[in-house]
Amino acid sequence: QSVLTQPPSASGTPGQRVTISCSGSISNFGSNSVNWYQQLPGTAPKLLIYNSHQRPSGVPDRFSGSKSGTSASLAISGLQSEDEADYYCATWSDSLSAYVFGTGTKVTVL
Amino acid sequence: QLHLQESGPGLVKPSETVSLTCTVSGGSISSSSYYWGWIRQPPGKGLEWIGTNYYSGRTYYNPSLTSRVTVSVDTPKNQLSLKLTSVTAADTAVYYCAGGYTFDYWGQGTLVTVSS
C-alpha cells in the first residue's frame, strides 16, 4: 500500500487545465523533493518533473509541478489528446528509507 | 543519451529465483552521482520500487522485499542485475530498470510471469 495518495482519475477537454494532487506525510515528504512520471499506454514511465518543479529537456512547459508541505501537485495546462496517460508522483521517504511511488492517476482527455 | 535494456526469463516457477539483467549503453554505469534501480508493475496496477544501488556503493531495498531481493552493479560489463528469490504469483509483473539522478532513464521493461 502506497504512502502517497493520488486521485485515481482526472479528466478534461482539449485546452483545459487539469491538476493532479499527491498527498503524503511529513515523514515521507519531509524536506525531500517530488518527482513526477508519465506513463503512456503500453510504454515505460518517463520522467516528467523532478525536484518538485523542474522539467527535463524536451518536456513541454504545459506541465508544471509544485510542492507545499506534505502535498504536491502536477498541472497540465492546454490539455492535449497525447497527454492521456497514467501519472505517478514519487519521493524518497526518510522514515522508510525507500523510494515511494504514488497510487497513480489516469488522465483522460474527453 | 543512455539506453537501458532488460533481459531475463519470461516464465519462472513458484519458489524459484528470478534473475534479470539490465545492460546500459551510451554511457558508463559508474558515472559519478548516478544511481541505478529496479521498479516493477503488476498487470493493470501501479509502480512499485524494488531497490536502488547508489554510486557510493550503498544499496537500498523496498522493506517489503528486502529479505528476497539483491540489486548489484557489474561495472566491467556495464550491467545492473536483480535477483529475487522464492517467487510467487504475486511477483508476476513487468520489471523495469532505471537510472540517472532521478530515474531519468528507463528500459522498455520485461514481463516476468510466475506460474507452474
Side-chain angles (χ1 to χ4, degrees), chain A residues 37 39 44-45 47 88 92 98-99, chain B residues 41 46 49 60 96 102-103 106-107:
Chain A
Y37 301 88
Q39 186 175 31
L47 180 65
Y88 296 90
W92 179 259
Y99 194 69
Chain B
Q41 185 171 37
W49 173 75
Y60 291 88
Y96 298 100
T102 49
F103 289 146
W106 292 67

Side-chain angles (χ1 to χ4, degrees), chain B residues 43-79:
Chain B
K45 296 188 178 180
L47 301 172
E48 179 182 31
W49 173 75
I50 298 172
T52 298
N53 180 283
Y54 286 85
Y55 66 94
S56 63
R58 186 158 185 179
T59 306
Y60 291 88
Y61 298 117
N62 186 319
S64 69
L65 298 170
T66 188
S67 63
R68 300 194 292 129
V69 68
T70 303
V71 174
S72 59
V73 169
D74 187 330
T75 302
K77 292 184 177 179
N78 227 32
Q79 290 179 336

Side-chain angles (χ1 to χ4, degrees), chain A residues 12-23:
Chain A
T13 57
Q16 277 191 328
R17 176 184 172 91
V18 169
T19 302
I20 301 168
S21 62
C22 174
S23 299

Side-chain angles (χ1 to χ4, degrees), chain A residues 56-82:
Chain A
S57 174
V59 173
D61 59 6
R62 304 185 290 104
F63 296 93
S64 61
S66 63
K67 180 195 165 205
S68 178
T70 59
S71 66
S73 64
L74 172 72
I76 310 173
S77 58
L79 192 66
Q80 298 183 6
S81 58
E82 56 260 40

Side-chain angles (χ1 to χ4, degrees), chain A residues 20-75:
Chain A
I20 301 168
S21 62
C22 174
S23 299
S25 66
I26 192 66
S27 63
N28 297 316
F29 279 126
S31 59
N32 295 324
S33 60
V34 178
N35 306 313
W36 289 89
Y37 301 88
Q38 176 194 57
Q39 186 175 31
L40 296 171
T43 69
K46 164 192 166 185
L47 180 65
L48 195 67
I49 296 287
Y50 67 98
N51 198 25
S52 301
H53 62 91
Q54 293 184 278
R55 287 184 305 275
S57 174
V59 173
D61 59 6
R62 304 185 290 104
F63 296 93
S64 61
S66 63
K67 180 195 165 205
S68 178
T70 59
S71 66
S73 64
L74 172 72

